[in-house]
């Protein structure tokens, strides 16, 4: 099993360019399945989740070209199968988007239940509720979900989500764009990648309005045609590098970001003592050498993202004083990394949804194990900040979501290598 070996203690210096957003890419690629024609998709991150999705689409009959780095030309016109390969679907969470896109295009599908990061029970009842509202009959087992148009066919409808689920919002949007009538998604998620998905669909001819607010309106169209679209920069990858500079020290220009998407993360890092300067499409983060404690509660966008919980926890572990970190999206997420951080010297007490972190002025290298994608990223940050050598095992999780992590960190002066056993 591959692992990272990190020699900590080097401050990070220089420039890092952020890749396209993983969570947007893993929604937009399945959405391309709704399009009859060639979609040229730019700024696609080269990460394992994207590679798996492309294999699934090829298996269904799509043609995939890579004219150059980070650009994919996808033609799903020839797809006829509605049953993606279960073994591949189970490898990642976002494969659940195939349900919405296949249902939208073909009126039916048979999709294995997804895998991916298991930092919590991750139900899909809201996705199913949406599909049913659009007229789908649903057969759900422990292994798969089968959807088919009911006797009145599929048509637009009003769906009010019980919680602002990112996955359900995107899935219902995909299922609805080609249906007759209008669909309203109430209590919709507002994450940047929801807006990106809507922008992609609209570029291809859909009529989606309101993305980024809590009501999304979809006016069904008969067909989507091909076009060119560039994926937004990855908010969480950018936040991860910003947290790394805050924890390990240094001065880094984080390029290819949308500073507005970073506001909530930026303000917490500033509170902790980092200096942050926003430019049009870049952010400079400079550590001042001193970290202060803070209080963070994760929330749906525009709140502090749950996907940055573990990374900010490392900053808290190194800050002066006691910090409080409350998780309100996935309660069990702390268990993915807190014990590992403790083995590096962090002092963390978990009580229900809140972790109380008593800061120390240093962490020490250790052998730690990534249990999910963001937990793995946090352990890398901890390794960069720690004295001595840290070995991060189970790095396939990290590789699901961070493009060229080793190259990017090495260019910033980190001592990190990937070891294949
Ligand atoms: C997406 C992101 C993930 C991020 C999360 C929260 C992708 C591929 N993944 O995951 O990186 O951590 O948003 O920002 O974009 N829920 C239900 N029933 C449902 C759906 C969700 O109870 O049908 C609950 C979940 O258990 C969770 C909350 O709602 O507590 C939010 O989930 P959701 O926004 O759907 O997250 P994901 O789409 O799984």
């Amino acid at each position: 099993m591959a692992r990272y070996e990190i020699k900590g203690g080097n401050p990070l210096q220089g420039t890092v360019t952020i890749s396209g957003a993983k969570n947007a890419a893993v929604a937009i690629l399945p959405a391309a399945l709704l399009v009859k024609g060639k979609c040229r998709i730019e700024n696609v991150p080269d990460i394992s989740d994207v590679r798996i999705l492309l294999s699934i689409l090829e298996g269904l009959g799509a043609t995939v070209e890579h004219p150059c780095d980070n650009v994919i030309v996808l033609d799903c016109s020839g797809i006829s199968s509605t049953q993606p390969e279960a073994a591949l679907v189970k490898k990642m969470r976002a494969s659940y988007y195939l349900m919405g896109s296949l249902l939208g295009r073909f009126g039916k599908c048979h999709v294995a239940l997804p895998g991916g990061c298991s930092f919590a029970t991750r139900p899909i009842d809201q996705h199913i509720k949406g599909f049913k509202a659009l007229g789908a009959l649903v057969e759900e087992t422990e292994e798969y979900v089968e959807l088919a148009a009911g006797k009145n066919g599929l048509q637009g409808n009003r769906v009010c989500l019980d919680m602002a689920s990112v996955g359900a919002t995107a899935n219902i949007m995909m299922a609805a764009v080609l249906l007759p009538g209008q669909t309203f998604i109430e209590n919709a998620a507002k994450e940047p990648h929801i807006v990106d998905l809507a922008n992609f669909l609209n570029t291809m001819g859909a009529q989606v309005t309101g993305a980024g607010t809590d009501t999304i309106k979809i006016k069904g169209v008969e067909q989507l045609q091909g076009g060119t679209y560039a994926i937004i920069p990855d908010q969480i990858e950018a936040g991860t590098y910003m947290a790394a500079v805050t924890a390990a020290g240094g001065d880094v220009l984080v390029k290819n970001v949308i500073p507005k998407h970073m506001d909530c993360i930026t303000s917490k890092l500033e509170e902790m003592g980092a200096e942050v300067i926003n430019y049009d499409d870049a952010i400079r983060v400079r550590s001042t050498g001193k970290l202060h404690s803070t209080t963070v509660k994760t929330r749906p966008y525009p709140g502090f993202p749950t996907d940055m919980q573990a990374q900010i926890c490392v900053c808290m572990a190194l800050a002066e004083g006691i910090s409080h970190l409350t998780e309100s999206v996935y309660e069990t997420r702390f268990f993915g990394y807190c014990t590992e951080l403790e083995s590096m010297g962090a002092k963390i007490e978990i009580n229900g949804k809140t972790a109380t972190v008593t800061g120390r002025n240093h962490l020490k290298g250790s052998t730690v194990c990534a249990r999910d994608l963001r937990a793995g990223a946090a352990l890398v940050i901890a390794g960069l900040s720690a004295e001595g050598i840290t070995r991060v095992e189970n790095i396939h999780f990290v590789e699901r979501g961070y493009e060229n992590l080793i190259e990017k960190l090495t260019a910033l002066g980190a001592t990190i290598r990937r070891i294949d056993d």
Side-chain angles (χ1 to χ4, degrees):
M1 286 271 248
R3 61 179 187 272
Y4 295 140
E5 192 176 273
I6 305 163
K7 185 167 171 292
N10 304 0
L12 303 174
Q13 308 279 355
T15 299
V16 63
T17 302
I18 297 307
S19 301
K22 163 191 170 280
N23 285 347
V26 297
I28 286 173
L29 293 174
L33 205 154
L34 292 157
V35 180
K36 283 196 178 151
K38 279 193 174 184
C39 295
R40 180 183 162 95
I41 308 173
E42 300 174 348
N43 208 25
V44 182
D46 183 15
I47 51 176
S48 61
D49 269 11
V50 162
R51 290 191 286 267
I52 295 168
L53 265 177
L54 290 173
S55 304
I56 295 176
L57 291 172
E58 275 184 310
L60 289 172
T63 60
V64 180
E65 295 163 47
H66 297 265
C68 54
D69 285 353
N70 304 112
V71 175
I72 283 165
V73 178
L74 197 54
D75 189 344
C76 295
S77 315
I79 288 186
S80 54
S81 168
T82 55
Q83 184 165 345
E85 190 183 327
L88 291 174
V89 167
K90 284 176 189 291
K91 284 189 175 174
M92 60 180 297
R93 182 78 192 157
S95 51
Y96 56 32
Y97 289 137
L98 293 159
M99 296 178 195
S101 58
L102 286 167
L103 181 70
R105 172 146 170 208
F106 296 105
K108 61 175 186 173
C109 63
H110 178 110
V111 181
L113 282 171
C117 284
S118 57
F119 48 72
T121 322
R122 298 172 79 181
I124 57 164
D125 56 298
Q126 299 302 301
H127 307 228
I128 300 292
K129 173 178 166 175
F131 299 145
K132 282 184 178 165
L134 299 176
L137 299 174
V138 180
E139 184 188 327
E140 205 180 350
T141 73
E142 281 182 5
E143 286 295 312
Y144 65 84
V145 171
E146 193 163 292
L147 305 174
K151 65 175 185 327
N152 296 325
L154 298 169
Q155 57 193 350
N157 198 354
R158 188 172 292 273
V159 183
C160 184
L161 298 176
D162 297 353
M163 74 282 294
S165 157
V166 172
T169 303
N171 233 340
I172 298 165
M173 199 192 302
M174 287 187 227
V177 283
L178 292 175
L179 301 188
Q182 294 191 357
T183 297
F184 294 85
I185 309 175
E186 313 272 11
N187 194 22
K190 301 179 204 142
E191 267 66 7
H193 42 291
I194 293 291
V195 178
D196 209 36
L197 172 64
N199 288 341
F200 166 79
L201 290 166
N202 286 342
T203 303
M204 304 301 152
Q207 288 190 26
V208 181
T209 51
T213 75
D214 47 25
T215 302
I216 297 178
K217 178 177 161 187
I218 301 145
K219 197 161 173 279
V221 295
E222 276 187 10
Q223 195 172 317
L224 300 182
Q225 72 285 337
T228 297
Y229 190 78
I231 290 175
I232 50 165
D234 196 309
Q235 177 207 29
I236 306 299
E237 188 198 11
T240 300
Y241 284 98
M242 291 169 72
V245 181
T246 306
D251 184 352
V252 170
L253 185 69
V254 184
K255 278 175 48 178
N256 188 35
V257 295
I258 298 175
K260 179 84 196 127
H261 292 170
M262 307 308 301
D263 279 352
C264 207
I265 299 165
T266 297
S267 69
K268 282 297 162 191
L269 296 179
E270 282 178 328
E271 246 174 73
M272 297 193 81
E275 272 180 18
V276 182
I277 305 171
N278 282 352
Y279 301 100
D280 285 350
D281 60 357
I283 291 181
R284 181 174 169 190
V285 187
R286 199 170 76 84
S287 105
T288 52
K290 207 159 176 148
L291 279 175
H292 313 290
S293 58
T294 189
T295 298
V296 170
K297 183 170 185 180
T298 66
R299 290 182 195 279
Y301 189 80
F304 190 92
T306 172
D307 282 355
M308 280 297 298
Q309 183 220 91
Q311 300 90 314
I312 197 117
C313 188
V314 179
C315 301
M316 291 173 163
L318 288 161
E320 200 178 293
I322 297 178
S323 297
H324 297 281
L325 178 56
T326 301
E327 174 59 47
S328 59
V329 184
Y330 293 111
E331 271 181 49
T332 52
R333 206 159 190 170
F334 293 126
F335 300 107
Y337 66 94
C338 286
T339 316
E340 308 300 301
L341 281 186
E342 282 172 323
S343 80
M344 299 179 74
K347 192 160 181 289
I348 305 171
E349 208 181 300
I350 300 166
N351 199 342
K353 293 181 175 184
T354 299
T356 303
V357 187
T358 306
R360 299 276 162 101
N361 59 9
H362 71 280
L363 295 173
K364 56 182 190 318
S366 176
T367 297
V368 289
C369 182
R371 297 218 160 74
D372 68 64
L373 165 61
R374 307 304 173 185
L379 295 174
V380 170
I381 298 176
L384 297 170
S385 323
E387 286 170 6
I389 306 284
T390 297
R391 292 180 188 85
V392 182
E393 296 178 334
N394 254 3
I395 59 167
H396 63 277
F397 280 118
V398 184
E399 292 173 345
R400 285 190 38 219
Y402 289 88
E403 182 177 49
N404 296 337
L405 182 73
I406 299 283
E407 291 80 354
K408 289 183 183 183
L409 284 172
T410 304
L412 294 176
T415 307
I416 176 168
R417 60 186 182 130
R418 185 183 194 278
I419 299 174
D420 257 314
D421 280 346

